[in-house]
């Protein structure tokens, strides 16, 4: 069986051709991801593999990073300006034009939504100094709350604990600043996969 993923990155310069082409990548990558071909930005190949695993588990799997911590409500706010897994959106996705990507050169169209409310799993793949890989997962619940209208796949996740402490523990695993967010509590399935792969499994 052949599986496909895509990880891409381009740093443009003064509106040259490749930068203009890159402006359309998020929309196309979101459409590919929804079709079971995960596409990850910022050349995050490990995250594209995490997205692929979540997709094959029926959990979707959107490209995700930390955005903010809401200590008042106890939520970890996470998402990205794409690529998104359109099948797990809580509502009809919105396309939002961005004059400037968030802190990066370039412009284009981004996909805005929040993941379906209910059980979710944050899942990523880390690599140890000796080259070994490990699977990292954390189960929570996506909940309602205010969202910035900035073209991101923003979700508010309640991990049932202080959001700062969760972030400390999640980061201490060595997780990169991107991972996959999918629907359902999937830790048991991911642990079984790690066992089959003879790979370390970490649950936060």
């Amino acid at each position: 069986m052949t599986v496909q993923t895509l990880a891409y990155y381009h740093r443009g310069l003064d509106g040259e051709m490749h930068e203009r082409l890159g402006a359309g990548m998020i929309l196309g990558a979101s459409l590919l991801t929804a079709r079971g071909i995960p596409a990850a930005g910022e050349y995050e190949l490990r995250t594209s593999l995490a997205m692929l695993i979540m997709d094959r588990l029926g959990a979707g799997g959107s490209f995700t990073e930390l955005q903010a911590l809401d200590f008042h409500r106890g939520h970890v706010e996470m998402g990205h300006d794409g690529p998104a897994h359109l099948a797990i959106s809580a509502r009809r996705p919105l396309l939002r034009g961005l004059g400037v990507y968030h802190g990066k050169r370039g412009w284009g169209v981004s996909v805005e939504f929040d993941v379906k409310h209910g059980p979710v799993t944050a899942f990523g793949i880390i690599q140890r100094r000796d080259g070994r890989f490990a699977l990292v997962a954390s189960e929570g619940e996506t909940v309602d709350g205010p969202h910035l209208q900035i073209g991101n796949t923003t979700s508010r996740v309640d991990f049932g604990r202080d959001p700062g402490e969760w972030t400390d523990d999640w980061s201490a695993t060595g997780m990169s600043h991107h991972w996959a967010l999918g629907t359902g509590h999937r830790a048991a399935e991911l642990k079984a996969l790690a066992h089959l792969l003879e790979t370390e499994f970490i649950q936060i």
Side-chain angles (χ1 to χ4, degrees):
M1 181 178 75
T2 301
V3 295
Q4 296 173 311
T5 68
L6 167 69
Y8 67 92
Y9 177 77
H10 176 72
R11 181 172 181 173
L13 181 64
D14 296 330
E16 49 89 30
M17 179 183 68
H18 295 98
E19 182 179 88
R20 297 198 304 274
L21 288 172
M25 288 293 287
I26 284 178
L27 178 56
S30 295
L31 292 171
L32 282 173
T33 299
R35 293 176 56 187
I37 305 173
E42 301 183 43
Y43 204 61
E44 277 278 12
L45 184 58
R46 287 197 307 267
T47 302
S48 75
L49 293 173
M51 293 165 65
L52 177 69
I53 292 168
M54 292 297 269
D55 178 81
R56 297 307 189 263
L57 291 176
S62 275
F63 193 62
T64 305
E65 68 183 3
L66 283 175
Q67 292 180 333
L69 303 181
D70 187 336
F71 291 97
H72 176 68
R73 297 176 179 85
H75 302 160
V76 178
E77 192 171 320
M78 57 180 68
H80 207 271
D81 53 2
H85 198 303
L86 304 177
I88 61 172
S89 176
R91 54 186 168 84
R92 187 177 178 86
L94 172 71
L95 297 183
R96 187 177 295 280
L98 302 177
V100 177
Y101 282 140
H102 316 305
K104 303 184 285 292
R105 274 194 57 84
W107 57 89
V109 176
S110 191
V111 180
E112 182 176 296
F113 72 70
D114 60 331
V115 171
K116 293 175 183 176
H117 297 169
V120 291
T121 302
F123 168 59
I125 301 172
I126 63 172
Q127 188 171 16
R128 302 295 193 188
R129 292 178 63 181
D130 62 5
R132 291 179 301 117
F133 293 97
L135 309 185
V136 183
S138 187
E139 296 178 338
E141 305 278 332
T142 50
V143 296
D144 198 14
H147 293 109
L148 296 172
Q149 297 180 352
I150 56 174
N152 277 30
T153 60
T154 303
S155 296
R156 288 178 164 270
V157 185
D158 185 347
F159 288 102
R161 55 185 298 202
D162 179 84
E165 293 178 358
W166 179 88
T167 301
D168 285 345
D169 289 346
W170 180 255
S171 301
T173 65
M175 180 60 60
S176 71
H177 81 280
H178 295 120
W179 54 87
L181 182 66
T183 55
H185 284 167
R186 308 288 177 170
E189 294 164 282
L190 294 167
K191 184 177 181 179
L193 174 63
H195 178 72
L196 290 171
L197 295 173
E198 298 182 344
T199 300
E200 182 184 2
F201 176 75
I202 304 167
Q203 184 170 357
I204 300 301

